[in-house]
Amino acid sequence: MMRMQSVIRAIYPAQCVACETQTEAENGLCGTCWRDTQFIDGTICDTCGTPLPGDSDGQRLQCDDCMVIARPWERGRAALVYTGIGRKLVLGLKHGDRTDLAQPAGLWMARLARALIHPDTVVVPVPLHWSRLLRRRYNQAGLLAQVIARDLQRPVCVDALLRPRKTAPLEGHSRDARFAALTGQITANPRQKAQIAGKPVLLVDDVMTSGATLAACTEALLQGGATRVSTITLARVVKDA
């Protein structure tokens, strides 16, 4: 097996997932792309994961948006700022058929999600409408959720939520329009109620903009019996990015 892997590596050397430069390990970034990718660390909003200025004093901090917008989930994290390489990776996974990106991205997310899970946490992805799933052939949030659940050794329920009606793409819409468009548009799957009832949930998505999608999913999960919800996204749209 090791010999076969060496032969494969010789023919198809490992490449950076962002720029295709040759790398030493599979499913990683080259040194230049790693340096240029804005990973989120340091002082952050505990509710949505957006980076904040200054140093943390150990108290729970919130960004301006989370101080004025009611968030139905408890805590949230994001791995990358949605700009530059971070945006390129999200769009590649979401629209570019780059399902290979789910592995490294999911592991980045799992590292942050460890602080959010409980012993009985269930991992749940944000759902796609069936028509969009048919056209795309995969749910990017579902792929990320499976990697995260495997790494954290937690159960995953990929169809815990349903999107029975197709909503228009939300890119370019205002915050209020996003929330209005998603109100009541996501429901808990009655066939999977036993998987989430009485348990905390880690909700997974690729990117957070206004938080409308995460809010709609959280409300559906709580109505379905989940005890609490935390969120993890691959990227966070940041106002000053």
Side-chain angles (χ1 to χ4, degrees):
M1 180 64 70
M2 292 296 295
R3 183 177 180 181
M4 179 61 69
Q5 290 176 345
S6 297
V7 172
I8 293 173
R9 177 61 61 82
I11 300 174
Y12 303 105
Q15 295 180 325
C16 171
V17 297
C19 74
E20 299 185 354
T21 296
Q22 188 170 334
T23 57
E24 294 183 2
E26 297 282 357
N27 298 318
L29 295 167
C30 68
T32 300
C33 287
W34 182 272
R35 183 195 64 209
D36 293 343
T37 301
Q38 293 189 39
F39 288 92
I40 297 176
D41 56 12
T43 305
I44 61 169
C45 171
D46 192 53
T47 303
C48 73
T50 195
L52 297 175
D55 297 323
S56 173
D57 58 2
Q59 301 297 315
R60 184 183 184 193
L61 300 176
Q62 287 185 303
C63 66
D64 292 343
D65 281 351
C66 290
M67 290 178 66
V68 298
I69 301 173
R71 306 292 197 192
W73 66 86
E74 288 191 350
R75 303 173 70 196
R77 295 291 184 271
L80 313 171
V81 174
Y82 186 69
T83 189
I85 292 176
R87 183 175 184 272
K88 178 181 179 179
L89 295 176
V90 169
L91 293 178
L93 175 61
K94 190 170 187 174
H95 300 299
D97 214 22
R98 289 289 308 278
T99 57
D100 59 295
L101 294 173
Q103 180 65 23
L107 294 178
W108 298 334
M109 296 164 72
R111 177 178 60 84
L112 298 173
R114 290 186 185 278
L116 306 177
I117 65 168
H118 302 271
D120 53 348
T121 292
V122 178
V123 182
V124 171
V126 167
L128 286 179
H129 184 262
W130 68 265
S131 63
R132 194 159 290 161
L133 180 61
L134 184 65
R135 184 173 67 252
R136 193 175 297 169
R137 305 188 308 281
Y138 62 90
N139 177 3
Q140 70 279 2
L143 297 180
L144 294 169
Q146 291 179 70
V147 174
I148 294 168
R150 185 164 57 246
D151 188 68
L152 298 179
Q153 298 183 320
R154 301 306 315 148
V156 59
C157 188
V158 295
D159 58 347
L161 293 171
L162 299 176
R163 206 164 190 155
R165 289 180 292 278
K166 184 178 180 180
T167 55
L170 299 177
E171 287 84 355
H173 286 58
S174 68
R175 183 183 69 192
D176 290 344
R178 286 172 178 264
F179 276 88
L182 286 167
T183 300
Q185 299 301 306
I186 297 174
T187 63
N189 186 347
R191 295 184 178 181
Q192 298 295 355
K193 184 176 181 179
Q195 302 298 317
I196 62 172
K199 298 174 183 176
V201 169
L202 178 68
L203 179 63
V204 179
D205 203 5
D206 55 352
V207 60
M208 175 181 171
T209 304
S210 67
T213 301
L214 295 176
C217 289
T218 298
E219 289 168 353
L221 288 166
L222 294 174
Q223 290 172 6
T227 57
R228 63 181 74 179
V229 177
S230 293
T231 67
I232 180 73
T233 60
L234 173 57
R236 176 73 167 99
V237 174
V238 177
K239 292 181 179 179
D240 60 352

